[in-house]
Amino acid sequence: MSRHMLRFVQILTLLKRWIMNKKKKGSRSFVVYTAIVVALIVALFAVNQLQEKKENTDKKMGEAPSIEGQPVMGDENAAVTVVEFGDFKCPTCKAWGESLWPELKKEFVDTGKVKFSHVNVLFHGEESRMASLASETILQLHPDQYWTFHKALYDAQPQNHDDTWVSEDSMLEIAKAAIPELDEQKFLDTIKADATADAVNQDISLVNKFNVQLTPTIMVNDKMIANPLDYAAIQAAIESELK
Ligand code: CA
């Protein structure tokens, strides 16, 4: 049950109790009270429906997130930009990447209609930050290998995503396995020196600017998709921007 529906049911219960009370007291205005209450219920229901509709609708944000300095996959001249705000510690992001992303890539990125970018979200504390630093480091040192590392990170996420798995050591191991030409020393030095902190902070500013509340959050140009797991909604938003 949604938050709104729950509140609605609570209000209904209160009103019912109130009516029963009036009835017991034998109030002469019982009919009037009941009519008022019924009118109130109808009004509440209408407001509730409107609210739910508003929250479940894709939202125009007025501008698209800047992808300057971000990893970009696909034709840089593509008319539509899809940005995923994601967190390597987030299980839904991993699921999104495995279930929905391959289809999106095949239909829109590989065909040159969409360029795709990823912005780090740090909703899971220090581990999110370390994974973000590591991915920004790969973007800096081996930009061609960014998406390989990106996928390797999500692949490494354990079944129980609350388990601790992100550390300097694990980042190095995952990077070594994914990128044969990895400059290991430079990778470690860059992470230890916090040298990609500016890039991570730039991502945090975007998260704040667009008021990102959940991961993944998907934006199609300036439109924020209400349900990131609804492929048809993403598809429709892209098609409408392509027109
Ligand atoms: Ca970034």
Side-chain angles (χ1 to χ4, degrees):
M1 191 184 293
S2 76
R3 192 158 42 88
H4 291 298
M5 213 53 203
L6 192 68
R7 198 167 61 205
F8 185 60
V9 170
Q10 282 168 342
I11 293 172
L12 273 187
T13 314
L14 279 175
L15 285 174
K16 193 177 148 204
R17 205 178 300 155
W18 187 72
I19 292 176
M20 294 317 282
N21 217 12
K22 290 283 170 207
K23 199 175 175 186
K24 240 184 272 167
K25 282 182 185 163
S27 164
R28 284 158 62 195
S29 317
F30 175 65
V31 176
V32 177
Y33 281 130
T34 308
I36 292 172
V37 165
V38 168
L40 266 175
I41 289 172
V42 171
L44 270 173
F45 186 72
V47 169
N48 186 62
Q49 293 294 97
L50 271 177
Q51 195 89 21
E52 290 221 330
K53 198 169 168 217
K54 205 170 138 199
E55 284 189 8
N56 293 328
T57 307
D58 300 341
K59 226 187 318 183
K60 279 271 190 190
M61 303 298 284
E63 72 177 293
S66 163
I67 55 167
E68 209 186 315
Q70 303 293 356
V72 177
M73 187 194 286
D75 184 346
E76 60 175 24
N77 297 316
V80 179
T81 304
V82 173
V83 172
E84 178 200 5
F85 288 87
D87 185 333
F88 292 108
K89 280 282 287 176
C90 149
T92 317
C93 299
K94 179 182 165 82
W96 189 89
E98 288 168 0
S99 60
L100 201 144
W101 161 243
E103 210 176 332
L104 186 74
K105 179 176 182 292
K106 195 172 145 206
E107 188 174 358
F108 294 109
V109 180
D110 294 348
T111 52
K113 294 173 179 167
V114 160
K115 55 182 178 292
F116 177 75
S117 186
H118 178 274
V119 173
N120 289 297
V121 182
L122 281 65
F123 284 168
H124 291 82
E126 268 312 303
E127 281 186 275
S128 296
R129 185 175 147 77
M130 175 57 71
S132 302
L133 283 173
S135 71
E136 297 290 355
T137 300
I138 293 298
L139 183 63
Q140 203 180 85
L141 302 181
H142 302 278
D144 294 348
Q145 297 298 319
Y146 172 81
W147 294 105
T148 307
F149 184 64
H150 178 101
K151 184 175 182 306
L153 273 184
Y154 276 120
D155 287 348
Q157 188 188 105
Q159 196 103 40
N160 181 2
H161 70 280
D162 284 331
D163 288 349
T164 303
W165 63 277
V166 182
S167 63
E168 269 176 27
D169 289 347
S170 72
M171 291 301 97
L172 179 62
E173 287 313 309
I174 294 166
K176 263 162 64 178
I179 307 168
E181 69 268 38
L182 178 76
D183 186 334
E184 290 178 35
Q185 198 51 51
K186 216 165 184 182
F187 177 77
L188 271 182
D189 290 347
T190 308
I191 287 189
K192 281 186 200 295
D194 220 21
T196 53
D198 283 352
V200 174
N201 290 337
Q202 188 188 331
D203 290 7
I204 294 173
S205 317
L206 284 173
V207 168
N208 293 334
K209 180 175 181 181
F210 289 91
N211 192 26
V212 169
Q213 300 284 336
L214 60 105
T215 49
T217 283
I218 303 299
M219 283 190 68
V220 176
N221 285 347
D222 70 334
K223 189 182 265 184
M224 191 177 277
I225 304 297
N227 176 4
L229 298 172
D230 182 351
Y231 186 71
I234 297 174
Q235 209 176 23
I238 294 172
E239 296 289 2
S240 113
E241 291 295 304
L242 284 172
K243 268 179 201 158

